[in-house]
Amino acid sequence: MPGLTRIPRWRLPRRLLPLVLLCGLHAGAQPVPETPGLGFEAARQLLLQRSDKLAAAQAATRSATLRADSLSGLGGPVVSLSGTAFAYNANLRPDLQTVNQRTAQVEELLPIPLPLPTLPSTYTINRQDSGSSAAVSMVWPIYTGGLNDAARGLASARADEARADTARTTGELSTLLVQRYFGAQLAARAAALREAALDTIGRHDAAAQRMLDAGLIARVERLQARSAFEEARRQALKARDDAELAATALARIVHSDSPVRPDSPLFVHTQPLEPLAQFVDAALQHHPALALVSAKKAQAEAQHAAGEAGRRPQVFAFGQRELRTGQADWVAGIGVRYTLWDALDRRTLAEASLQQVEQAERSGAQARSDIALLVEKHWRAVDQARRQFIAAGTAIELAQEVLRLRQSGLREGTSTTLDLIDAQVNLAKVQTEQAQAANDYDFTLAQLLEACGLPDRFADYMARADVKVQ
């Protein structure tokens, strides 16, 4: 699981095996540089402000919302203004030869010779002018069979789909932030424990050398101590790298240029959460997947309504008037349009759109069932982590008591140094297990709230926690 660090088990001699669980950075490793602290709520605000993935989803939501808003006046009158400017030059050349022939025939029929004028064979007439005109026109769809409402409904459903997608993205990023933030806390705690362990093992290694020089232990015991020290040093270096990597992963998600150190500690509620039914009800109301399915159903219904509108008549009013003084030309009327025959089989298209509506309904029913199961899974995982944390507290008390007895036994000569180190290592081991249980609690709680569509409630649970793992 990314961002989480668990203490591995090493195959070493039985007496030295627990020593490596406390590996650290004191001997043979450089300390981790101090990095700036960052509270969880501050990290969440940085995530919401800087995430490119969330910004892309929000831009898609704004675009879909603006498209839906642009159709709010669909179905109203459309008024337009048109204008033209023109100039022309026209030439007309009539043929007058036929007229001259007719004139000659008339002269022959006259009783008294009367000469008539002869016209030219052709004559050119030229006409040129310029001008302009303007008119205002209007078209008003009075009845469209529900097409306008279907278009508005489709755009609104697409905006709802975009909002649901943004909510889903926000929930996923919030859960990822919890995983990396508290995973970095756990990695830092594991590195600190290994630092203390390496210091302890280093002192034991030096003591073993002195005992070997004094002839108090065999060489094989000295080699076992040295082997444990070298293994602890290797694990210490790995622990530091893991802690730095976890801090870097946290920095990446909040878009910080340098690694950050989480300030908010791991937390646990020792009392159980609210009843399961309460979380299921919240999920059925707020989960973005259900909003997404609802938006898909609304889109299918709008498409069906648009197909049905094409089978109904359309009524519209129209008018136009010239913009000029005096006797202006104008026209106005009402038109009706009805499709008698279409190449498309609209009945089949209507049946197809109804099947899409049924698909959305079935998907919604399946999604509600799946979400209820998912909520129950995470709710039980949170409670299991809570019980593991409490059980680890009891184990810590027992380990502390064993350590106290080993210290007393060392003073009285009934215990050895290795027995004391074993007790110290066991205490650190159960402390690490308790921190791991706290980390599991926080992560599964984030998953539960994401499944309920309430990722922003995580900070409230963190503030009300009665146990903080410092």
Side-chain angles (χ1 to χ4, degrees):
M1 185 178 298
L4 301 184
T5 302
R6 296 181 182 271
I7 304 298
R9 295 181 179 178
W10 307 292
R11 296 186 179 278
L12 294 176
R14 182 176 179 277
R15 291 194 306 166
L16 299 178
L17 173 62
L19 299 179
V20 297
L21 294 174
L22 284 175
C23 308
L25 307 177
H26 181 72
Q30 298 297 325
V32 178
E34 185 67 19
T35 54
L38 184 67
F40 177 79
E41 188 58 29
R44 187 172 186 272
Q45 292 303 319
L46 290 176
L47 171 68
L48 298 179
Q49 295 170 7
R50 300 177 179 179
S51 172
D52 294 327
K53 183 178 181 180
L54 182 58
Q58 291 172 342
T61 299
R62 289 192 297 269
S63 175
T65 302
L66 292 174
R67 290 180 183 274
D69 294 342
S70 69
L71 299 180
S72 60
L74 187 64
V78 178
V79 180
S80 58
L81 181 66
S82 61
T84 59
F86 61 90
Y88 69 90
N89 179 58
N91 294 311
L92 179 63
R93 293 181 176 86
D95 186 4
L96 301 179
Q97 186 64 35
T98 303
V99 178
N100 289 330
Q101 293 175 357
R102 296 287 184 178
T103 302
Q105 294 175 357
V106 171
E107 287 181 351
E108 295 176 356
L109 296 176
L110 291 176
I112 301 174
L114 181 63
L116 296 177
T118 302
L119 300 175
S121 60
T122 59
Y123 185 80
T124 300
I125 301 174
N126 178 266
R127 179 69 183 271
Q128 58 183 1
D129 198 359
S130 63
S132 62
S133 65
V136 60
S137 59
M138 181 273 295
V139 177
W140 191 339
I142 299 175
Y143 176 73
T144 59
L147 182 61
N148 296 331
D149 293 337
R152 284 191 293 266
L154 180 61
S156 178
R158 286 175 175 171
D160 292 339
E161 179 183 0
R163 281 189 285 269
D165 186 65
T166 299
R168 180 178 59 182
T169 300
T170 302
E172 292 174 351
L173 289 175
S174 297
T175 302
L176 180 60
L177 175 64
V178 171
Q179 183 182 27
R180 292 190 180 182
Y181 187 93
F182 293 104
Q185 280 281 34
L186 181 62
R189 183 173 180 80
L193 290 174
R194 287 183 172 122
E195 178 181 0
L198 186 58
D199 182 71
T200 301
I201 296 173
R203 292 195 301 269
H204 174 69
D205 180 69
Q209 181 62 47
R210 292 192 297 270
M211 295 175 68
L212 178 64
D213 295 340
L216 300 177
I217 61 173
R219 182 173 178 78
V220 64
E221 295 185 31
R222 174 67 187 95
L223 293 177
Q224 288 176 340
R226 189 63 184 178
S227 176
F229 177 76
E230 293 299 330
E231 179 66 16
R233 181 158 54 185
R234 287 192 297 270
Q235 292 298 328
L237 293 174
K238 183 179 183 301
R240 182 183 65 177
D241 292 340
D242 290 344
E244 290 178 351
L245 180 59
T248 301
L250 175 59
R252 290 289 185 271
I253 196 174
V254 298
H255 291 260
S256 175
D257 295 333
S258 58
V260 296
R261 174 174 50 83
D263 278 346
S264 301
L266 295 159
F267 66 91
V268 173
H269 294 85
T270 56
Q271 297 300 318
L273 296 178
E274 293 85 350
L276 173 61
Q278 183 172 336
F279 287 97
V280 173
D281 292 341
L284 296 180
Q285 294 178 10
H286 302 290
H287 197 287
L290 296 179
L292 184 63
V293 172
S294 178
K296 290 292 187 181
K297 179 183 176 182
Q299 292 179 42
E301 292 173 342
Q303 291 175 348
H304 177 72
E308 291 296 296
R311 303 167 61 182
R312 302 188 182 102
Q314 298 178 356
V315 181
F316 57 92
F318 64 92
Q320 182 173 347
R321 186 185 189 280
E322 284 187 312
L323 296 178
R324 70 177 184 178
T325 58
Q327 295 296 325
D329 296 335
W330 61 272
V331 64
I334 294 180
V336 178
R337 181 179 181 273
Y338 183 72
T339 303
L340 297 178
W341 183 84
D342 195 343
L344 296 176
D345 189 346
R346 295 193 176 273
R347 293 183 180 275
T348 303
L349 289 177
E351 182 63 26
S353 59
L354 288 176
Q355 292 299 316
Q356 288 182 328
V357 174
E358 182 179 357
Q359 176 190 5
E361 291 176 348
R362 298 284 186 175
S363 298
Q366 184 63 47
R368 285 189 290 271
S369 176
D370 293 342
I371 289 172
L373 179 61
L374 181 66
V375 169
E376 182 174 358
K377 172 187 174 183
H378 292 320
W379 185 84
R380 294 185 180 279
V382 171
D383 194 63
Q384 181 183 11
R386 179 188 66 85
R387 289 184 277 108
Q388 288 179 345
F389 180 85
I390 295 175
T394 303
I396 289 176
E397 294 177 356
L398 293 175
Q400 289 173 339
E401 179 63 19
V402 170
L403 177 60
R404 188 187 65 81
L405 294 175
R406 291 301 186 187
Q407 290 171 339
S408 300
L410 184 63
R411 290 192 298 267
E412 296 171 359
T414 58
S415 297
T416 65
T417 302
L418 286 180
D419 292 336
L420 178 59
I421 292 176
D422 288 345
Q424 291 173 335
V425 168
N426 183 63
L427 175 60
K429 175 178 176 295
V430 295
Q431 287 175 336
T432 302
E433 291 175 349
Q434 188 184 52
Q436 179 66 61
N439 182 73
D440 293 342
Y441 181 92
D442 297 339
F443 180 56
T444 53
L445 176 61
Q447 290 180 311
L448 173 62
L449 295 177
E450 179 190 351
C452 294
L454 303 172
D456 54 340
R457 292 281 306 278
F458 184 85
D460 297 336
Y461 281 90
M462 182 172 62
R464 298 198 310 264
D466 56 343
V467 174
K468 304 291 177 66
V469 183
Q470 299 297 337

